Amino acid sequence: MNLYQEIFFKPFSISGDIFVLSRVLHDWNDEDSIKILSHIRSNMTNDSILYIIELIIPESITRENVEVYMNDLQIWAVCGGTERTLSEYCNLFQKSRIKI
């Protein structure tokens, strides 16, 4: 198990009002991202806030945004992760029981 798996995939106990994930979820597939978010959710109170800093890609590929999807292909091939659309992030949040 590498350091990232040690940090992200084992339950932890911490209290906080604000949680921040910056450029983390794009490195992981949906199943692993849901695990990460669920562990964070288990430490949040009703008043906690989770800030997620990620690139949001357009819902459809066009000539003007094809480079964003090429970057997504590279992340998928190298890391197993993916850049996501807003609706894909909303789906992750719903499955992780995180209100938006």
Side-chain angles (χ1 to χ4, degrees):
M1 182 175 286
N2 68 37
L3 177 61
Y4 293 115
Q5 290 170 325
E6 189 77 27
I7 293 170
F8 292 131
F9 300 115
K10 287 190 173 186
F12 60 91
S13 179
I14 190 169
S15 62
D17 296 327
I18 298 173
F19 296 81
V20 179
L21 282 179
S22 179
R23 304 289 291 162
V24 172
L25 297 176
H26 75 137
D27 287 336
W28 304 98
N29 63 34
D30 287 355
E31 182 181 335
D32 289 337
S33 293
I34 291 167
K35 287 178 189 175
I36 292 167
L37 291 168
S38 295
H39 287 307
I40 292 169
R41 174 65 186 109
S42 68
N43 287 281
M44 294 174 70
T45 67
N46 289 336
D47 296 326
S48 296
I49 297 172
L50 171 60
Y51 290 105
I52 297 177
I53 302 165
E54 291 284 349
L55 172 69
I56 296 177
I57 60 174
E59 294 288 336
S60 60
I61 302 172
T62 65
R63 182 177 295 220
E64 291 78 25
N65 65 25
V66 72
E67 73 282 347
V68 174
Y69 284 88
M70 295 306 291
N71 185 48
D72 181 46
L73 180 62
Q74 181 180 7
I75 289 172
W76 173 76
V78 175
C79 303
T82 185
E83 300 290 4
R84 293 178 175 87
T85 64
L86 182 58
S87 61
E88 291 170 325
Y89 276 110
C90 289
N91 186 44
L92 291 180
F93 302 145
Q94 180 182 20
K95 290 181 178 179
S96 305
R97 299 179 307 117
I98 293 177
K99 296 178 188 175
I100 55 172

